[in-house]
Amino acid sequence: MSGPQVVLVTGSTRGLGLAIVQTLCQGFKGDVYLSARDVQRGAMVVEDLQREGLKPRLLQLDITDPVSIQAARQHFMKEYGGLDVLINNAGIAPKRGDPASIGSQAERILQTNFFATRDMCNEFLPLLKKDGRIVNVASIVGYITLYMCSPDLQARLCSDDITEEELVALMKRFVAEAKDGDHINKGWPNSVYGVSKIGLMALTRIQARRLRREMPQRGILINSCCPGWVKSDMTYPNGTKTPAEGADTPVYLALLPPATQEPQGEFVVDRQVQVWAGSPTGATVDEGP
């Protein structure tokens, strides 16, 4: 693939996603796409950034809509011959005091945080140019929630032979059991957000193994990360990091130099790779929603 360099950031009209766009506009040698479900809102954000001297481009994108994903895919193929960097930042969390049942929350939150993000990875991974990068914004909450699962679930989620199909089946199982109110008895924790991020982190590992096996010569890296507890609507806004500080690790992973081989398939916090097996040390669950 050829053409100018280009990066796409999902969920980027505010908070962390917007800060990632701002940071990339200052340091990425290519076009930076801010994506928005609402084009009018996206256009207003782009105008604000232009007044700061930045030059992002706007793309309408709803990651929960397969038609919207296909339109985005076609855009980058036509205009750029592919994509250099995809940062999957779009995600949702339960709101405090949300009266919805945990089953309803599970369906809605996993649809965005896991299933729709998986669709983005699977549609755009074949488009990535040599030395392309995918960064999946996860959370330390998922990392901690993993160790609240039953030993059997932990073993499968951490295994080196779990397939994408098995992972999808596990995430669907969680949603179904949450709807039945039986998820805790079946070994799941009571954190819908946490489980959605476990799924995303496990998916990252699976797809990294696929890249090593099927496309090692292309030099593509895929990693997940935690930006930290960022001040945003999602943290109400009790976060301890500014959005700009939170953008550091996602942007670091997005701009890993060509020919870099590691990290690959890892979960990264403050630019440091975290071990994906064994109980986390010194972690607490107040790092996110």
Side-chain angles (χ1 to χ4, degrees), residues 4 14 25 35 81 83 112 117 148 188 191-192 226 261 268 273 283:
R14 60 184 179 179
C25 282
S35 72
L83 189 68
T112 297
T117 303
M148 298 177 183
W188 296 103
S191 172
V192 170
C226 175
Q261 297 183 356
V268 181
V273 171

Side-chain angles (χ1 to χ4, degrees), residues 13-14 35-40 59-64 92:
T13 58
R14 60 184 179 179
S35 72
R37 288 180 297 175
D38 183 333
V39 173
Q40 289 185 331
L59 179 75
Q60 193 283 327
L61 175 62
D62 178 352
I63 70 166
T64 64
I92 57 176

Side-chain angles (χ1 to χ4, degrees), residues 87-251:
I87 300 181
N88 284 311
N89 172 71
I92 57 176
K95 297 186 177 183
R96 291 186 179 180
D98 188 345
S101 67
I102 193 165
S104 297
Q105 289 183 18
E107 185 170 46
R108 178 174 59 90
I109 290 170
L110 265 78
Q111 175 55 36
T112 297
N113 294 2
F114 177 75
F115 293 106
T117 303
R118 171 179 175 255
D119 289 343
M120 286 292 298
C121 288
N122 286 338
E123 288 292 339
F124 279 89
L125 198 154
L127 269 66
L128 287 186
K129 301 176 186 179
K130 191 175 187 311
D131 294 316
R133 308 285 182 249
I134 295 180
V135 181
N136 292 324
V137 178
S139 172
I140 197 69
V141 176
Y143 188 65
I144 296 166
T145 302
L146 172 67
Y147 302 100
M148 298 177 183
C149 294
S150 69
D152 287 346
L153 282 171
Q154 284 186 45
R156 289 314 302 152
L157 290 164
C158 289
S159 69
D160 289 332
D161 63 357
I162 185 173
T163 64
E164 189 168 327
E165 292 73 21
E166 182 183 356
L167 177 62
V168 168
L170 283 172
M171 294 297 104
K172 288 181 177 178
R173 182 184 125 190
F174 169 72
V175 173
E177 290 171 350
K179 284 184 172 182
D180 290 340
D182 199 32
H183 58 291
I184 294 177
N185 291 333
K186 295 298 178 65
W188 296 103
N190 207 36
S191 172
V192 170
Y193 181 81
V195 171
S196 75
K197 295 300 185 179
I198 292 173
L200 182 58
M201 294 151 70
L203 176 69
T204 303
R205 286 166 49 83
I206 291 167
Q207 295 195 332
R209 290 199 296 271
R210 174 186 164 196
L211 286 167
R212 286 194 188 102
R213 182 176 64 250
E214 299 178 5
M215 295 173 274
Q217 73 285 356
R218 291 177 61 187
I220 295 170
L221 298 179
I222 178 170
N223 290 287
S224 64
C225 68
C226 175
W229 199 22
V230 176
K231 297 179 189 293
S232 68
D233 293 344
M234 194 177 283
T235 56
Y236 308 106
N238 298 317
T240 56
K241 284 188 175 182
T242 66
E245 291 169 336
D248 178 74
T249 294
V251 171

Side-chain angles (χ1 to χ4, degrees), residues 21 25 31-35 46 55-59 79-80:
V21 167
C25 282
D31 292 338
V32 178
Y33 272 81
L34 175 152
S35 72
V46 167
K55 298 179 179 180
R57 300 197 175 199
L58 174 63
L59 179 75
E79 299 297 328
Y80 297 92

Side-chain angles (χ1 to χ4, degrees), residues 62-84:
D62 178 352
I63 70 166
T64 64
D65 180 359
V67 174
S68 182
I69 292 177
Q70 281 295 319
R73 186 182 192 277
Q74 292 168 10
H75 171 80
F76 288 105
M77 277 299 297
K78 178 182 177 182
E79 299 297 328
Y80 297 92
L83 189 68
D84 291 280

